[in-house]
Amino acid sequence: KAGVTQTPRYLIKTRGQQVTLSCSPISGHRSVSWYQQTPGQGLQFLFEYFSETQRNKGNFPGRFSGRQFSNSRSEMNVSTLELGDSALYLCASSLDGRTYEQYFGPGTRLTVT
Amino acid sequence: AQKITQTQPGMFVQEKEAVTLDCTYDTSDPSYGLFWYKQPSSGEMIFLIYQGSYDQQNATEGRYSLNFQKARKSANLVISASQLGDSAMYFCAMREVSLSGGGADGLTFGKGTHLIIQP
């Protein structure tokens, strides 16, 4: 069974631009969660999508948004990029978001210059 | 207040020795899950072990065991017979389960412990 895939793996953007990251969960998994990892703040929960609906949301500004498609693939968008958005963005998939198994992808490393 | 506290920023351990990584947590929810993840330098988070708040026995997965002391709100990870490949960042995490039917909250992570296994 294929694992969680994230594209692209690396990205360099300029302040003020916007970016879209993609996550394909494990086949059959309907819940996708996104996390941001930075040296200063550590790992922080962004949001979770289940059956195309945002079910939970962390404490991030509205510049961070996401969506989920009918095939459970999810995208995360960050608008008006700031230097502080430079981070490793990880997505995790699980069957339904209620069970404990959450499997992480390799992450997308975003650098904002 | 921090919900997950890992007090050991870094640890050096000799190969083949047992390792205990500390984790304390804070929650008022009766239903929660505790997790340990390993993150090698490649960045991917690897699930190691899970303990539910209602589980009566400590969780074990191969060389990993979780020393769960509910009254002390402690969930230490024990790695037996450490190997060079165990060198990585280790994160303790918690998820509080919503009783309103909205699913579980996102994982709350500790700051991590950088474990280095020496030959």
Side-chain angles (χ1 to χ4, degrees):
Chain A
K1 197 185 246 190
V4 180
T5 58
Q6 292 187 245
T7 57
R9 293 292 310 279
Y10 302 91
L11 206 49
I12 300 175
K13 289 286 189 180
T14 305
R15 261 184 310 177
Q17 288 185 315
Q18 74 164 12
V19 68
T20 299
L21 313 181
S22 180
C23 172
S24 291
I26 292 170
S27 177
H29 285 195
R30 296 167 63 193
S31 167
V32 174
S33 299
W34 288 90
Y35 294 84
Q36 181 197 64
Q37 186 177 23
T38 60
Q41 298 299 316
L43 280 148
Q44 294 182 284
F45 171 67
L46 280 155
F47 29 65
E48 182 225 359
Y49 284 86
F50 178 76
S51 291
E52 303 177 63
T53 302
Q54 187 181 88
R55 191 161 64 174
N56 285 299
K57 188 176 189 306
N59 190 24
F60 276 82
R63 299 186 298 107
F64 292 83
S65 63
R67 59 178 175 168
Q68 187 179 34
F69 302 94
S70 58
N71 62 357
S72 294
R73 188 178 70 87
S74 177
E75 288 182 346
M76 191 194 103
N77 185 75
V78 188
S79 62
T80 321
L81 283 165
E82 301 176 0
L83 294 178
D85 297 333
S86 294
L88 179 67
Y89 290 89
L90 293 158
C91 92
S93 84
S94 70
L95 266 173
D96 58 7
R98 297 176 191 274
T99 57
Y100 68 86
E101 293 109 340
Q102 267 203 338
Y103 298 93
F104 281 82
T108 294
R109 190 166 294 281
L110 171 66
T111 302
V112 182
T113 62
Chain B
Q2 275 189 338
K3 285 196 170 184
I4 298 286
T5 303
Q6 294 180 254
T7 57
Q8 306 150 310
M11 284 184 74
F12 288 87
V13 173
Q14 287 296 121
E15 191 180 7
K16 298 188 178 67
E17 288 185 352
V19 182
T20 297
L21 304 181
D22 295 339
C23 173
T24 57
Y25 61 93
D26 183 29
T27 181
S28 55
D29 281 349
S31 184
Y32 54 90
L34 296 158
F35 305 74
W36 277 92
Y37 285 89
K38 172 184 177 182
Q39 188 178 42
S41 54
S42 60
E44 186 166 356
M45 298 291 284
I46 301 168
F47 167 76
L48 295 177
I49 199 166
Y50 165 84
Q51 180 86 41
S53 57
Y54 296 115
D55 293 344
Q56 295 297 313
Q57 292 188 315
N58 286 345
T60 59
E61 289 283 351
R63 293 186 301 114
Y64 305 106
S65 60
L66 199 152
N67 184 1
F68 182 45
Q69 297 186 46
K70 195 170 182 177
R72 298 177 64 180
K73 295 189 175 178
S74 165
N76 296 343
L77 176 71
V78 180
I79 307 173
S80 63
S82 58
Q83 302 170 356
L84 296 178
D86 293 334
S87 295
M89 283 293 293
Y90 287 80
F91 291 95
C92 178
M94 177 176 67
R95 179 163 62 191
E96 293 155 322
V97 180
S98 166
L99 298 178
S100 64
D105 293 340
L107 291 168
T108 300
F109 286 87
K111 295 293 187 187
T113 294
H114 189 191
L115 177 64
I116 297 174
I117 307 298
Q118 296 175 313

